[in-house]
Amino acid sequence: MSRFEEVIDRKGSSSVKWDLTKTVFGKDDVLPMWVADMDFLPPEDVLEALGNRLKHGIFGYTFVGDPTADSIKDWIQKRHGWKIEKSWLQYSPGVVPAISTIIQALTSPLDKILVQSPVYTPFFNLVEDNGREIVNAQLKYQDGSYSIDYQAFEESLKTGVKLFLLCNPHNPSGRVWKKEELTKIAELCKKYNVVIVSDEIHSDLVYKSHTHTPLASLNDTFRDMTITCIAPSKTFNLAGLQASAMITPNSELREKIAGIHKKQGFFTLNTFGISGMEAAYRHGEQWLEEILDYLQENVKVTKNFLEEHLPELTLVDPEGTYLLWIDCTKLKLSDEELKNRLLDKGKLALEPGTKYGPGGEGFVRMNIACPRETLLDGLERLRVALG
Ligand SMILES: Cc1ncc(COP(=O)(O)O)c(C=O)c1O
């Protein structure tokens, strides 16, 4: 039996996914397949490192030192072929707070920030909550897959955009952007003098026959206009440890970010975040290979199930991420009806596509990072709800 088959009861562990369905969906009795974390234990080496740190017993002030920075540097080079310098690293309790810090550091109130919907909800919230303005270059959806509308992208840049929030790989479409696509959009950003935030939190979760390219690794010009956000949280299921890193080769941009951190009084990550991140990047590779196989199989099981039992639903083939983006538009249900059917009939909590901005209408996002038994339960609930 694969180690990922074990069903672990997460209820009562202050889990957003399992313990907040009543608050978010108004229901307790639903299977949660929404928030992007996994129902699996992380690598054994991570548990051991955290256990050792706990046993040490003293939790005074800590800092992110060279061994942790080296573990990140080595991981990025080994997994993604990008040679970074330790001095380019800055830390944040998460990619979401990192993006907020970057927005504050590099833009002013009312500045325009570009996103590509449908996209991860906080991209919108962070821009709006910081008093900046959203400009949206919606992705093209054709024949069940997503691509970039370069003309719309350039038109958007022309409106005076200051910053572009790229999701690479893309949540929720599961696209792993190709070198050529990244090159074209980065060239356009260069032309209009726009800095890029490349959120690469899903970069390690890429399926066979696809390759993640760190946008900043493409050439020195792109490198100097890009801030790359990474974290071990999605890859190794460590979101609760709150550790992430920004990679900013351009020292001017880095200093601006440091300026905001100073204003926030932000200095370091928490003790367990540091230990967990280092252990994961140092020792987690074998676990990652295994989980990718398991997730790929979950994708296959879902695809087969939908083809057999819910042929009107279209699964957007994921190239990466464990978040499946399912097109339910053929059912011709309103988003309210879709939501109610899922919750009331299916007792299933999925993310409604409308959360991801224009283009998300009639879609749902399903998190399949769970044991197969849970997945099959979820798929059966989906059949009851929408079949
Ligand atoms: C694209 C993207 N960025 C950031 C995050 C969350 O980052 P963090 O938990 O590090 O703030 C997620 C989580 O789903 C995500 O999908």
Side-chain angles (χ1 to χ4, degrees):
M1 186 174 102
S2 155
R3 62 169 121 171
F4 304 119
E5 297 289 3
E6 188 188 354
V7 177
I8 299 167
D9 184 4
R10 296 183 62 192
K11 282 204 177 131
S13 66
S14 306
S15 155
V16 171
K17 189 190 203 172
W18 286 85
D19 293 324
L20 285 188
T21 56
K22 178 88 180 155
T23 315
V24 177
F25 295 92
K27 288 195 181 292
D28 272 331
D29 59 342
V30 288
L31 181 70
M33 299 181 86
W34 60 302
V35 169
D37 68 20
M38 306 188 190
D39 294 329
F40 305 123
L41 290 175
E44 197 55 46
D45 287 293
V46 172
L47 293 175
E48 197 179 310
L50 294 175
N52 289 340
R53 190 62 191 81
L54 177 66
K55 267 191 227 132
H56 180 269
I58 296 180
F59 306 113
Y61 288 111
T62 39
F63 66 100
V64 189
D66 268 349
T68 309
D70 278 325
S71 73
I72 297 172
K73 178 171 178 270
D74 294 348
W75 178 264
I76 300 281
Q77 164 126 42
K78 189 164 182 210
R79 295 294 298 186
H80 305 299
W82 183 27
K83 202 166 183 311
I84 64 165
E85 307 275 333
K86 278 188 282 185
S87 62
W88 300 349
L89 291 169
Q90 288 165 303
Y91 300 95
S92 167
V95 169
V96 168
I99 295 174
S100 190
T101 299
I102 297 165
I103 288 173
Q104 289 165 25
L106 305 184
T107 66
S108 304
L110 302 180
D111 274 353
K112 294 190 164 98
I113 299 183
L114 180 62
V115 301
Q116 294 170 299
S117 81
V119 75
Y120 181 53
T121 318
F123 279 25
F124 296 98
N125 304 340
L126 292 169
V127 171
E128 282 160 5
D129 293 344
N130 276 296
R132 274 63 165 172
E133 194 186 314
I134 294 272
V135 177
N136 182 23
Q138 194 173 328
L139 294 172
K140 258 199 291 200
Y141 179 60
Q142 225 169 14
D143 303 325
S145 74
Y146 282 86
S147 59
I148 295 161
D149 180 341
Y150 297 103
Q151 205 183 339
F153 191 83
E154 181 160 12
E155 289 306 316
S156 302
L157 290 174
K158 280 185 190 163
T159 64
V161 161
K162 291 284 186 318
L163 196 69
F164 165 43
L165 305 184
L166 169 70
C167 196
N168 174 35
H170 186 262
N171 168 14
S173 75
R175 277 299 319 275
V176 175
W177 302 116
K178 293 190 171 40
K179 273 186 191 162
E180 307 77 65
E181 294 171 307
L182 294 170
T183 303
K184 274 198 199 171
I185 52 175
E187 269 166 2
L188 286 169
C189 287
K190 176 71 195 158
K191 182 170 162 191
Y192 293 93
N193 217 8
V194 169
V195 175
I196 300 172
V197 179
S198 190
D199 177 342
E200 303 193 2
I201 197 167
H202 295 281
S203 56
D204 299 314
L205 297 162
V206 166
Y207 297 120
K208 288 199 177 83
S209 83
H210 299 281
T211 307
H212 168 72
T213 305
L215 180 139
S217 72
L218 285 168
N219 62 44
D220 290 355
T221 306
F222 298 165
R223 186 193 70 180
D224 287 336
M225 53 188 260
T226 303
I227 297 150
T228 306
C229 299
I230 59 139
S233 47
K234 298 290 150 208
T235 313
F236 300 104
N237 201 25
L238 302 174
L241 295 188
Q242 302 224 283
S244 83
M246 286 172 270
I247 309 171
T248 312
N250 180 325
S251 60
E252 268 178 48
L253 298 181
R254 218 165 48 233
E255 274 162 31
K256 288 185 179 164
I257 292 168
I260 297 295
H261 273 169
K262 191 160 174 266
K263 275 198 204 168
Q264 293 166 340
F266 172 76
F267 164 62
T268 191
L269 302 180
N270 77 75
T271 309
F272 290 98
I274 297 169
S275 298
M277 175 154 73
E278 189 182 325
Y281 284 139
R282 266 289 157 245
H283 307 294
E285 194 166 28
Q286 176 61 33
W287 182 95
L288 175 60
E289 292 298 342
E290 288 174 33
I291 199 90
L292 283 171
D293 286 344
Y294 193 84
L295 292 172
Q296 186 129 39
E297 196 54 33
N298 272 1
V299 173
K300 213 165 105 190
V301 166
T302 306
K303 199 174 159 63
N304 291 342
F305 186 95
L306 295 185
E307 276 168 11
E308 190 175 339
H309 300 288
L310 291 160
E312 288 195 300
L313 269 52
T314 308
L315 173 65
V316 176
D317 254 333
E319 299 170 352
T321 86
Y322 50 72
L323 307 164
L324 300 187
W325 188 236
I326 303 174
D327 178 353
C328 309
T329 51
K330 281 194 197 138
L331 297 177
K332 302 209 177 341
L333 296 172
S334 70
D335 286 290
E336 193 61 19
E337 284 168 327
L338 197 55
K339 189 181 101 187
N340 291 341
R341 283 238 222 150
L342 288 166
L343 288 173
D344 298 336
K345 274 181 89 181
K347 309 237 175 278
L348 181 62
L350 301 184
E351 294 274 18
T354 44
K355 267 189 79 179
Y356 300 84
E361 306 81 1
F363 284 73
V364 290
R365 195 194 74 170
M366 184 173 195
N367 174 352
I368 53 140
C370 56
R372 197 122 328 125
E373 186 183 323
T374 311
L375 176 66
L376 292 173
D377 182 8
L379 290 172
E380 186 51 32
R381 288 167 191 251
L382 192 64
R383 193 185 63 73
V384 169
L386 303 182

